[in-house]
Amino acid sequence: MSAAEGPLVVGVDSSTQSTKALVVDAATGRVVASGQAPHTVSSGAGRESDPRQWWDALCEALSQCGDAAHEAAAVSVGGQQHGLVTLDERGEPVRPALLWNDVRSAPQARRLTEELGGAKFWAERTGSVPAASFTVTKWAWLAEHEPEAARATQAVRLPHDYLTERLTGQGTTDRGDASGTGWWASGTESYDEEILAHVGLDPALLPRVVRPGEVATPCRSPGARWSRPAPATTPPRRSAWGCARACR
């Protein structure tokens, strides 16, 4: 591998069926290394995946990138939107994640639209009208059909939030992903407490929303345990080496 002209960065894309990682020279855009690993989706009426498969796939993809992943200065994680990831007090999945293409919550989407003032209310508050793909309808479906799972949930995440939290130990998301949940108020740039109260979801279970250009947090040391999000602080500068090492 020839010497990089600038810092190396890792880009991660965790899609519905696989996770991909690229190590790129930030100065030139040259791809230095890459990796990819699959994960599975259930068949039948629902579309579900075990979030731990995403983590295993990320670790495999980073491993394929070799030493370049350990030399990176930053990691950015993107992934499939809308999916509902429910975690217990230890950060373990309560149940498999409900994916964006799981449309069992179509009745809940129609009901939520009607109960909270119609399409105009939702468009003005969140920028979108609920559909079966949206996270808010999936939570409503879960609370109705699997109330024990809803009660056991101590944190609610989106798919890429889950991977970021495994890497850093902090529950964070971004405005782009939050906008696809159905409970993010685009006008106030905050979680909509009225919508959350209506579906019975405690806002304390949701991740902190990272601002544009903000570093979410340094990667945590290998073996660190999952914990509930701490108050936002200014993180110290640190390389992304710990992110790759966290998979070991």
Side-chain angles (χ1 to χ4, degrees):
M1 181 181 73
S2 59
E5 296 183 24
L8 297 179
V9 294
V10 176
V12 175
D13 174 21
S14 183
S15 63
T16 311
Q17 295 180 311
S18 70
T19 294
K20 298 168 284 292
L22 290 180
V23 182
V24 177
D25 184 333
T28 65
R30 179 173 63 91
V31 176
V32 175
S34 64
Q36 181 173 354
H39 27 82
T40 60
V41 179
S42 68
S43 58
R47 292 293 183 270
E48 303 180 352
S49 288
D50 185 341
R52 291 167 293 200
Q53 285 193 358
W54 305 334
W55 174 250
D56 292 342
L58 172 58
C59 290
E60 173 59 26
L62 288 174
S63 176
Q64 292 173 22
C65 291
D67 291 340
H70 296 275
E71 298 170 5
V75 177
S76 180
V77 179
Q80 52 177 305
Q81 280 195 295
H82 308 303
L84 175 66
V85 180
T86 52
L87 305 176
D88 64 18
E89 69 280 356
R90 297 175 295 113
E92 293 295 327
V94 172
R95 67 176 317 285
L98 298 170
L99 304 186
W100 63 273
N101 53 351
D102 187 318
V103 296
R104 287 175 290 178
S105 60
Q108 286 74 25
R110 291 190 293 270
R111 188 164 66 240
L112 287 175
T113 301
E114 296 168 357
E115 291 174 347
L116 283 176
K120 186 174 186 294
F121 167 90
W122 285 90
E124 290 177 348
R125 294 284 279 270
T126 70
S128 301
V129 179
S133 60
F134 278 36
T135 326
V136 67
T137 69
K138 298 181 189 304
W139 175 261
W141 181 92
L142 185 72
E144 181 176 338
H145 291 274
E146 300 181 13
E148 298 86 359
R151 286 193 293 269
T153 298
Q154 296 300 306
V156 171
R157 301 290 183 261
L158 298 169
H160 103 291
D161 305 341
Y162 174 77
L163 291 177
T164 302
E165 190 157 4
R166 288 293 301 264
L167 289 169
T168 66
Q170 297 295 312
T172 59
T173 192
D174 60 73
R175 295 186 303 172
D177 250 21
S179 69
T181 60
W183 51 57
W184 174 254
S186 53
T188 60
E189 295 198 344
S190 62
Y191 291 124
D192 192 302
E193 294 187 3
E194 181 179 358
I195 292 173
L196 290 171
H198 189 78
V199 297
L201 179 56
D202 184 350
L205 304 187
L206 300 177
R208 180 176 70 86
V209 181
V210 174
R211 315 312 299 176
E214 179 186 350
V215 175
T217 187
C219 293
R220 62 178 174 175
S221 300
R225 293 185 59 83
W226 180 90
S227 62
R228 292 290 296 275
T233 58
T234 302
R237 291 184 60 85
R238 177 177 169 186
S239 82
W241 175 80
C243 285
R245 185 172 167 80
C247 289
R248 291 186 171 181

